[in-house]
């Protein structure tokens, strides 16, 4: 058989990709990735082309400087393009990156450091490429270590969109099209120790683990009642169930400790991490388990390779992980995150007293959720379809994020499970001056939208802009 001929278009080079105009970028995204996501971004006025990034700042193709208060959903604890991470990668650029027939010293060093900074007796690490993969591995370890199948998880939780992680994610919107999912999942309310214990009793001898986020990220930055995590661990011990802490967003200093569960001196049986571990440069995920759990699962030669990852533990990713831990430790960024977060939350709570549109402020350290009241803008009904109206009413957080970006050059975004909440997860290197600027800018928006008129005007402008760009594309 002959070769299949290539399509007529020329292959795009790196140089050409860098030089693309915003219009070309949007066209390619519409035609080759996800056209409806472009529509949503444009509807909310969040589409930009950024051409440079450093620390807490990014610059668009018009030369405007923005402060990044989103931090890639908690992946940029050290900010953009941190020089020490880049310099560390240069040191290992000649080493083998992928070589499965030997033991990699960089990988073992990172595993050793994780055993030092994680709580209690956590010891054995498995490396992968993302938070979802870390969760998948943790769920598998729990099942093989206990010989049980059931997993308890929380309503509103988000653990990833791969099949196992999705099965223990607590929002039906992401699950309903992909059934049947992994069976024997049990959903309980977040923060309710009594419903959790009931589920453990009802599950009898089939519950392998309870997986929990110390702070629910995508649910809208939801913090549990004080003492809840400690009670969770006590219940897991009582009913011989493993506790899995999903610290993909909360880990590596985000909430004021290396890991959020350390605030209550809780030691889970398995702890998942990712995002910030790569220093904002490399994709890397991991879970770490105590010796007993690990050996029950994979502690024999015939079982030690039942769960593997081709790119997991590669030299470049683990070097970024080593450098990230070194920078956080050297600069005390995890401790400073608590101080800055307390200051930030206090400032935001002052605004809450004066502006009813600001419904709630919550979080710990530099993981903060700002929830806005739902709005109804009758004037928009004249210009949009019913589906678009529903989107606009649901995505109040997105509209606020749009104004922060377009008027004040501040980057934020809404949370997946509650779009009326914008998340604030800036680099841990954010300054008090930058925090003050955020609060001042948000107050100006709240004043402008006291009767929602400013938001209506901005939204209609974005709607028409979106429709015009769609026709042009």
């Amino acid at each position: 058989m002959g070769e299949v001929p290539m399509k007529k278009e020329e292959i795009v080079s790196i140089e050409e990709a860098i030089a693309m105009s915003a219009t070309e970028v949007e066209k390619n995204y519409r035609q080759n990735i996800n056209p409806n996501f472009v529509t949503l971004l444009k509807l909310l006025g969040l589409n930009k082309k950024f051409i440079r990034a450093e620390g807490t700042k990014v610059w668009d193709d018009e030369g405007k400087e923005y402060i990044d208060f989103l931090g890639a959903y908690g992946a940029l604890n050290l900010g953009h393009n941190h020089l020490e991470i880049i310099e560390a990668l240069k040191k290992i650029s000649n080493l083998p990156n992928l070589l499965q027939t030997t033991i990699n010293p960089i990988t073992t060093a990172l595993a050793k450091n994780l055993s030092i900074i994680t709580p209690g007796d956590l010891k054995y690490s498995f490396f992968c490429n993302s938070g979802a993969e870390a969760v998948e591995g943790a769920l598998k370890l729990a099942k093989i270590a206990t010989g049980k199948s059931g997993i308890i998880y929380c309503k509103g939780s988000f653990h990833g969109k791969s099949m196992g992680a999705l099965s223990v994610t607590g929002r039906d919107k992401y699950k309903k099209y992909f059934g049947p999912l992994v069976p024997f999942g049990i959903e309980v309310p977040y923060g309710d120790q009594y419903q959790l214990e009931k589920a453990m009793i009802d599950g009898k001898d089939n519950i392998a683990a309870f997986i929990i986020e110390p702070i629910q990220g995508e649910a809208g930055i939801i913090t549990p009642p004080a003492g809840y995590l400690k009670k969770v661990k006590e219940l897991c011990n009582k009913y011989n169930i493993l506790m899995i802490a999903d610290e993909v967003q909360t880990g590596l200093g985000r909430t004021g400790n290396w890991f959020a569960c350390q605030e209550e001196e809780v030691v889970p049986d398995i702890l998942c991490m990712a995002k910030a571990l790569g220093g904002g440069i490399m994709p890397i995920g991991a879970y770490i388990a105590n010796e007993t759990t690990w050996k029950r699962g994979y502690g024999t030669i015939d079982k030690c390779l039942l769960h593997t990852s081709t790119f997991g533990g590669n030299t470049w990713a683990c070097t970024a992980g080593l450098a990230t831990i070194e920078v956080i430790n050297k600069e005390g960024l995890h401790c400073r995150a608590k101080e800055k977060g307390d200051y930030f939350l206090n400032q935001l709570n002052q605004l809450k007293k004066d502006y009813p549109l600001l419904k709630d402020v919550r979080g710990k350290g530099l993981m903060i959720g700002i929830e806005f009241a739902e709005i109804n803008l009758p004037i928009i009904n004249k210009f949009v379809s019913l589906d678009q109206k529903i989107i606009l009413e649901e995505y109040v957080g997105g509209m606020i994020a749009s104004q922060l970006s377009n008027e004040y050059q501040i980057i934020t975004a809404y949370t997946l499970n509650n779009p009326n909440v914008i998340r604030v997860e800036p680099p841990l290197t954010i300054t008090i001056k930058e925090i003050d600027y955020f609060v001042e800018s948000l107050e100006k928006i709240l004043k402008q939208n006291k009767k929602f008129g400013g938001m209506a005007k901005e939204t209609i402008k974005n709607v028409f802009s979106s429709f015009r760009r769609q026709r042009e594309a």
Side-chain angles (χ1 to χ4, degrees):
M1 295 178 65
E3 292 185 2
V4 177
M6 291 181 64
K7 297 175 182 178
K8 292 182 180 180
E9 294 93 343
E10 292 291 327
I11 296 294
V12 180
S13 69
I14 294 174
E15 292 77 13
E16 289 170 331
I18 293 171
M20 277 183 186
S21 68
T23 302
E24 290 177 299
V25 172
E26 181 182 325
K27 180 179 178 182
N28 284 342
Y29 201 100
R30 281 192 184 280
Q31 292 182 349
N32 299 293
I33 301 181
N34 188 338
N36 286 311
F37 182 58
V38 177
T39 299
L40 180 57
L41 284 178
K42 297 190 75 62
L43 196 61
L44 297 172
L46 293 175
N47 56 302
K48 307 284 182 185
K49 183 187 177 185
F50 294 103
I51 61 172
R52 188 162 72 90
E54 181 181 343
T56 60
K57 308 287 181 59
V58 294
W59 289 263
D60 68 15
D61 55 356
E62 296 178 351
K64 291 181 181 178
E65 179 184 282
Y66 296 73
I67 306 174
D68 187 356
F69 276 86
L70 176 59
Y73 313 118
L76 290 173
N77 285 15
L78 301 186
H80 293 272
N81 298 327
H82 196 285
L83 289 179
E84 291 189 48
I85 310 299
I86 294 172
E87 289 301 316
L89 293 172
K90 290 179 181 177
K91 294 177 183 177
I92 53 86
S93 61
N94 291 324
L95 295 180
N97 189 40
L98 297 170
L99 192 59
Q100 277 79 11
T101 57
T102 188
I103 296 173
N104 189 330
I106 304 293
T107 309
T108 62
L110 178 57
K112 174 66 175 177
N113 286 352
L114 291 181
S115 74
I116 293 171
I117 67 171
T118 51
D121 59 351
L122 293 173
K123 181 177 181 181
Y124 286 95
S125 288
F126 176 87
F127 294 107
C128 51
N129 309 285
S130 70
E133 284 186 60
V135 168
E136 294 284 348
L139 295 175
K140 289 177 67 177
L141 174 57
K143 291 190 176 191
I144 192 173
T146 62
K148 303 173 187 177
S149 301
I151 304 291
I152 302 175
Y153 64 94
C154 290
K155 182 177 178 62
S157 64
F158 185 88
H159 298 292
K161 291 180 179 175
S162 52
M163 193 59 77
L166 183 63
S167 300
V168 294
T169 285
R171 192 182 185 199
D172 187 57
K173 175 179 179 178
Y174 301 118
K175 300 165 72 169
K176 61 183 179 181
Y177 302 108
F178 303 107
L181 299 175
V182 178
F184 307 119
I186 300 171
E187 184 179 279
V188 298
Y190 184 68
D192 188 330
Q193 66 187 60
Y194 303 105
Q195 288 298 312
L196 174 60
E197 184 168 20
K198 182 178 183 302
M200 290 178 170
I201 294 170
D202 291 346
K204 295 182 179 178
D205 298 324
N206 192 44
I207 305 299
F210 174 48
I211 184 168
I212 183 170
E213 300 160 276
I215 298 174
Q216 286 194 327
E218 304 305 335
I221 318 298
I222 306 297
T223 58
Y228 173 68
L229 293 180
K230 188 178 286 290
K231 187 62 180 180
V232 163
K233 181 57 178 170
E234 291 173 0
L235 290 173
C236 286
N237 291 343
K238 179 179 179 180
Y239 294 101
N240 196 26
I241 290 169
L242 297 179
M243 177 183 179
I244 303 173
D246 181 346
E247 296 240 22
V248 169
Q249 274 197 62
T250 53
L252 282 301
R254 172 61 49 187
T255 67
N257 290 282
W258 278 108
F259 296 93
C261 60
Q262 289 170 311
E263 182 175 344
E264 293 189 3
E265 299 181 345
V266 170
V267 182
D269 299 287
I270 308 171
L271 186 151
C272 302
M273 68 192 84
K275 290 188 184 296
L277 184 59
I281 305 290
M282 297 297 299
I284 179 172
Y287 70 77
I288 184 168
N290 61 43
E291 185 169 8
T292 299
T293 301
W294 180 267
K295 288 191 172 180
R296 284 176 178 170
Y298 300 127
T300 60
I301 288 180
D302 64 316
K303 291 181 178 179
C304 69
L305 296 179
L306 287 179
H307 186 69
T308 57
S309 169
T310 299
F311 284 89
N314 72 76
T315 303
W316 284 66
C318 288
T319 297
L322 277 175
T324 296
I325 292 172
E326 186 176 355
V327 171
I328 293 172
N329 187 56
K330 178 178 62 177
E331 299 183 10
L333 294 179
H334 49 317
C335 302
R336 291 162 63 187
K338 180 178 183 346
E339 297 167 6
K340 294 174 183 177
D342 288 346
Y343 176 82
F344 208 158
L345 285 163
N346 181 63
Q347 299 296 99
L348 290 169
N349 276 308
Q350 291 300 314
L351 293 185
K352 180 184 169 185
K353 296 176 182 178
D354 298 324
Y355 300 98
L357 181 58
L358 184 50
K359 182 178 179 181
D360 195 21
V361 176
R362 51 186 177 261
K364 287 181 182 177
L366 288 171
M367 185 175 181
I368 296 171
I370 306 173
E371 184 169 5
F372 299 93
E374 294 182 5
I375 63 171
N376 183 20
L377 302 174
I379 188 173
I380 291 179
N381 299 345
K382 301 177 182 179
F383 302 101
V384 301
S385 68
L386 178 60
D387 288 344
Q388 289 161 340
K389 177 177 178 291
I390 291 171
I391 289 174
L392 292 172
E393 289 180 354
E394 183 182 22
Y395 286 80
V396 177
M399 287 186 275
I400 298 288
S402 172
Q403 287 188 274
L404 284 169
S405 175
N406 293 319
E407 297 177 22
Y408 300 99
Q409 286 74 60
I410 290 173
I411 297 172
T412 57
Y414 53 82
T415 56
L416 287 177
N417 287 352
N418 188 346
N420 284 335
V421 176
I422 62 172
R423 65 173 88 225
V424 179
E425 297 182 53
L428 307 186
T429 55
I430 199 78
T431 66
I432 294 297
K433 182 179 179 181
E434 289 169 327
I435 290 172
D436 286 341
Y437 177 71
F438 180 101
V439 175
E440 291 163 6
S441 301
L442 179 60
E443 182 170 21
K444 290 176 183 176
I445 290 172
L446 292 170
K447 283 181 179 177
Q448 180 184 354
N449 294 316
K450 212 155 189 180
K451 295 184 178 179
F452 308 133
M455 189 177 294
K457 180 180 177 182
E458 181 72 15
T459 301
I460 292 170
K461 182 178 75 174
N462 290 335
V463 167
F464 279 121
S465 174
S466 176
F467 293 162
R468 176 173 55 79
R469 291 291 186 91
Q470 285 183 64
R471 288 195 298 269
E472 290 173 356

